[in-house]
Amino acid sequence: MNEILVGVDGTDAGDAALRWSLIHAFLTGRGVTALHAWQLPADIGPGGLYVPSVDDTELAEQARALVDEALARVASTLRLSRRFRCASAR
């Protein structure tokens, strides 16, 4: 399947990109994947050891909420899927 991937960040510009992708998907018969990516803040511990400074589960929940809120704002009947990516600071 040839889906459209759109980044979602909770801004007006992000909502406009999501809205455009949904309209384009409708016109071309494609699906849309709404993606929000983040990077874990990290501290360097003793000996240069990577130490996450926040709970990644909480950040993932916040990301899901952000995408859900954006989708609600630009409601659509197209098939949608969500993806969440966390870039490692290592």
Side-chain angles (χ1 to χ4, degrees):
M1 183 179 337
N2 194 4
E3 291 205 349
I4 297 169
L5 176 65
V6 60
V8 176
D9 64 2
T11 64
D12 290 343
D15 285 359
L18 179 58
R19 187 175 297 108
W20 182 91
S21 69
L22 293 171
I23 292 167
H24 188 70
F26 175 76
L27 294 173
T28 60
R30 297 182 191 180
V32 173
T33 296
L35 172 78
H36 179 74
W38 70 95
Q39 184 173 356
L40 279 178
D43 296 322
I44 303 300
L49 181 65
Y50 166 77
V51 180
S53 59
V54 296
D55 178 12
D56 61 337
T57 304
E58 182 179 332
L59 290 176
E61 288 304 317
Q62 291 173 1
R64 283 183 184 89
L66 186 143
V67 171
D68 287 343
E69 290 164 7
L71 291 173
R73 285 191 300 271
V74 295
S76 173
T77 58
L78 295 175
R79 64 182 182 273
L80 298 169
S81 62
R82 303 179 307 175
R83 291 188 187 164
F84 304 92
R85 294 286 184 256
C86 177
S88 174
R90 290 182 248 181

